[in-house]
Amino acid sequence: MHRLEEIWMTLSIGLLVIFMVVIGFQTFAMGMGPPSHKETIDPQKVSQTAPFDDPGVKKMGENEYEVVMILQSFQFTPSDIELPVGAEVTFTMASPDVSHGFQVAGTNINAMVMPGHIQKITHTFNEPGEFLVLCNEYCGIGHQMMSTTITVQ
Ligand code: CUA
């Protein structure tokens, strides 16, 4: 093999290794990887499948809540959610029909809820207030009316 070929091969493989190390470090050590909840659900049976057979706000621990939510055309169930300030809240979401969005204005919560997949997102509300919840995926004729609120107090 040519001397120059060897140099270029070593350089390109070295670059690949450096990129993989950087991406691996960001993903695993810094938690910057994409969300990877791989749980699936039969969209036809969302309302019969636990925990979605009993949607609502659940207290899970000292300062920990879970909101089990169904997003369907064109509503959030439960709606008008109330949560205490400072609680760590996990939203566990599923859709029985089409893709919906779950965006909470004034926070960095922004998730897509696709039929067939369980979506989870965790957030701590450190400030009291009324937060507008919007569907930001076009889901049909009533899409622009699909909204609710989260009241943190
Ligand atoms: Cu649901 Cu747009």
Side-chain angles (χ1 to χ4, degrees), residues 112-134:
M112 188 173 171
V113 181
M114 290 173 288
H117 293 267
I118 296 175
Q119 178 65 282
K120 285 190 186 191
I121 193 160
T122 299
H123 183 76
T124 303
F125 290 91
N126 287 315
E127 303 286 334
E130 189 170 287
F131 297 86
L132 181 63
V133 181
L134 290 169

Side-chain angles (χ1 to χ4, degrees), residues 88-122:
E88 187 185 275
V89 186
T90 300
F91 295 91
T92 304
M93 301 172 283
S95 163
D97 46 36
V98 296
S99 291
H100 295 280
F102 181 73
Q103 179 168 17
V104 183
T107 73
N108 60 1
I109 301 175
N110 190 353
M112 188 173 171
V113 181
M114 290 173 288
H117 293 267
I118 296 175
Q119 178 65 282
K120 285 190 186 191
I121 193 160
T122 299

Side-chain angles (χ1 to χ4, degrees), residues 10-81:
T10 311
L11 274 177
S12 53
I13 292 170
L15 266 180
L16 271 181
V17 170
I18 290 169
F19 289 154
M20 284 162 81
V21 167
V22 168
I23 290 168
F25 181 76
Q26 285 182 328
T27 305
F28 299 108
M30 296 170 73
M32 286 163 68
S36 56
H37 288 286
K38 292 276 163 63
E39 285 174 88
T40 56
I41 185 168
D42 181 350
Q44 309 274 315
K45 297 190 180 127
V46 168
S47 58
Q48 292 107 277
T49 309
F52 301 101
D53 53 350
D54 183 27
V57 181
K58 285 134 215 260
K59 193 168 175 110
M60 304 305 283
E62 183 57 41
N63 206 19
E64 231 183 294
Y65 288 78
E66 184 182 22
V67 179
V68 176
M69 183 182 267
I70 297 177
L71 290 83
Q72 61 188 319
S73 306
F74 301 100
Q75 58 188 333
F76 297 90
T77 311
S79 58
D80 302 323
I81 296 157

